[in-house]
Amino acid sequence: MTTHYLVLSALLFAIGGVGVLVRRNAIVVFMCVELMLNACNLAFVTFARQNGNLDGQLIAFFVMIVAAAEVVIGLAIIVTIFRTRRSASVDDVSLLKY
Amino acid sequence: MEPAEIIQHSGGAIGAAWLMIALPLVGAAVLLLGGRRTDKFGHLLGVLMAVASFVVAALSFAQLLGFAPGERRRGIELYDFIPGLAKVGLLVDPLSISFCLLITFVGSLIHIYSIGYMAHDPNRRRFFAYLNLFVAAMLLLVLADNYVALFVGWEGVGLASYLLIGFWQHKPSAATAAKKAFIVNRVGDFGLLIGIFTIFATFHTLAFSDVLGNASKASSGTLTAIGLLLLVGACGKSAQLPLQSWLLDAMEGPTPVSALIHAATMVTAGVYLIVRSGPIFEGAGTAQLVVTIVGVATLLAGAIIGTAKDDIKKALAGSTMSQIGYMVLAAGIGPVGYAFAIAHLITHGFFKADMFLGAGSVMHAMNDEVDMRKYGALRKVMPVTFVTFLIGYLAIIGFPLLSGYFTKDGIIETAMEHNAILGWLAVLGAGITGFYMSRLVFMTFFGAKRWEPTAHPHESPAVMTWPLIILSIGAIGLGAFLVLGNRFMTFLAPAVGAPEEMPSFHPFSLTGLVTLALVAIGAAFAWVKYGRAEVPAVAPRASFLTTFARRDLYGDALNEALFMRPGQWLTRLAVFFDNRGVDGLVNGLAAGIGGTSGRLRRVQTGFVRSYALSIFLGAAVLAGAWLVVGNL
């Protein structure tokens, strides 16, 4: 019965992974990362339901908190990059400097 | 008669024997450290220190004579260097005090002579500093009571010799000669060092008293090894075959240096070493045989070289080699020969220093010309030099009743009794001595003037002639004084032992008469060739034999072919191995790492997405692997 949820989770994760690999826009890459995180969350919650305990739900909360913190820092970096380079392409910052 | 026991001593002049070494050492230190401030009185300080050293030696000698003959070996403890292992002390005995008197007396005279000889040299102070350093080191060498301190003195005289041969180091020939002397001496020192190591390994001590007293307890094989190694050291220092090549070049140094170091004292250190280590050699017949053979070979080689040299100092240097050959021959014979070896060493110190200083006086007068073909007829303009040189000459060829007659004849007689072949070769050497020394005297003082137009010879100042006069007095009387009645042998006996039966002196023995006849023939031949006949100003083309002698018996060529060229090949091989082998390995490794990292660097593109891809792939591989392993 939980198989559908897991399949959905895998699909969402794969979409997110492909998005991270093929998109250049930092914002989109970022959103794809969030998609992967949420795919994981869905899997955790599904397993929690399947096993009948709260461990998976607990981990899902942790992931959300970490994701929120990550969004704060990540968006700040992206905004700074955009301000200096007038572009949000991840390929433009390949030199890891300036 | 066995050597006497060493008695610990303190007090009196002997107790202060260390002053003999310390005084010239202080002189050298003051002159070297004081720099130009001491220029004005440097030579006087140098002379003062040498004379003071002689006074201490003379007082010690007087005190030593006050003891009974069996109590004349006095040991003085100075310093416990390594407790229980290495005590440094002095040994004042008849042997060492004989050397001290010779070194300080002849040394003082040569110091005085140098005041005049070096008067116009801007570095005269430095010269006296080195001379003082030499005297100190030489006295340490002969006064040491163990092999380590002897070695320190041994190296010290080597250093002083190097500094003084290269004193005029602005001349490339002098700088090269100094280096050559140092390096050839290193070969000998190497032998001496290994000999000392072997002594320590065998006897577990290096003090003369313990080593020589127990020499008979070691096996004859060990003693032979030690003896031969000590002989290598002696050959280096005393310019004996096959390490003779440095002495002729050493004549590049100022003449007083040649007189003091390369005739009278330092080069005789090898004879001292052999005589001092007598009990070791007496237990090793093979080593003694080799010593006598080296002595005879060198006395002939030196004499032959002396016959062909036109450079007055080099002819004298060949003669020095030859005379030291006689001493080494005598030292190899054993207790009968020791006294004659040392007696000849002392008289030789006098007459050879006399002749070297005489040669220096001649050079001084002739604008430092050394070529005898440009001398001639100097006896009238330099009467004092001529007479003193003539006395030295008569002494060395063994003219009856002069010094060399007694001491060299003693050696020849002893050698004849020991082994007839060695004896006759020594007689032959004496004949050649008669020829080459006469040639030298005739070319220098007789015949026609062959002077350079710029030469205006004149007699040297009194400060140079007085040492000559004093030395020539020694050359006249010292031999008779030492040898007649076995005076010196009796005196030396407590230190080195003496034969059961003292040899008696026969004025008209067969050997003596043959020797005299040969010397007379040699001198007459020299008169025919160089006294009566015209001496060409340029050396004429000569036969193979003469060329052989002019080239120092091809000693240098031999060294070059045997040691220098293979050595160069070895270094070239080592350089090649270093450049191609070692450097190649290291450079190749570095280049390999550099190249690999240059290629690996390209993986780091900086594109976040490619990093992400590798993370995904890595995760996929790990997950796959886990799946496979998990399912096994």
Side-chain angles (χ1 to χ4, degrees), chain B residues 366-450:
Chain B
M366 299 292 282
N367 300 336
D368 287 328
E369 178 64 61
V370 290
D371 189 352
M372 290 190 288
R373 291 185 189 276
K374 298 194 173 126
Y375 292 168
L378 284 171
R379 69 182 185 281
K380 282 174 193 138
V381 282
M382 308 183 71
V384 180
T385 306
F386 168 62
V387 172
T388 53
F389 198 100
L390 196 69
I391 292 169
Y393 155 71
L394 292 174
I396 196 176
I397 62 169
F399 193 79
L401 304 181
L402 271 76
S403 281
Y405 171 69
F406 291 100
T407 54
K408 191 160 68 173
D409 212 54
I411 292 178
I412 292 174
E413 298 270 1
T414 317
M416 195 65 88
E417 267 177 42
H418 178 71
N419 180 329
I421 301 174
L422 295 177
W424 284 114
L425 288 173
V427 170
L428 178 66
I432 305 177
T433 309
F435 170 71
Y436 71 75
M437 285 312 301
S438 311
R439 169 179 179 269
L440 196 155
V441 168
F442 292 144
M443 281 175 89
T444 306
F445 293 103
F446 291 84
K449 294 176 188 176
R450 301 179 299 274

Side-chain angles (χ1 to χ4, degrees), chain A residues 34-53:
Chain A
E34 295 301 320
L35 196 58
M36 287 164 76
L37 287 172
N38 282 317
C40 294
N41 278 350
L42 184 59
F44 279 127
V45 174
T46 309
F47 286 124
R49 174 83 180 178
Q50 188 179 335
N51 293 341
N53 60 20

